[in-house]
Amino acid sequence: MKTISKFGIMAAMAGSLFLASCATEGYVVEQPVEPVYVRPVAPYAGAYWVPGEWVYRGNRYVYRNGYYTRARANRVYIQGSWARSPRGYVWHRGHWRR
């Protein structure tokens, strides 16, 4: 019986952590202004520049600078963007698409 109750507690904790990790969006009244920075020189031939984007941390959006990475075979990078909703603006992250 103790094993079942321990399993139940562990499952509840895992579920709450999963749900907490899903809450990665926040809404803002106005879109933040993108900072200006100089893109560095590519570190190697064929490097792909992933543009900077907004990350929701601590109840606010912070800007994460872009970076170089290897291009992914048979995929194209879709840049992140702001979307307007009834609750305000929300950032949709960039991603690789087939």
Side-chain angles (χ1 to χ4, degrees), residues 10-11 37 71 91 93:
M10 294 298 284
Y37 63 95
W91 177 258
R93 294 184 62 187

Side-chain angles (χ1 to χ4, degrees), residues 76-91:
V76 61
Y77 187 79
I78 306 299
Q79 187 172 349
S81 63
W82 287 101
R84 186 169 178 81
S85 76
R87 296 175 65 188
Y89 289 94
V90 64
W91 177 258

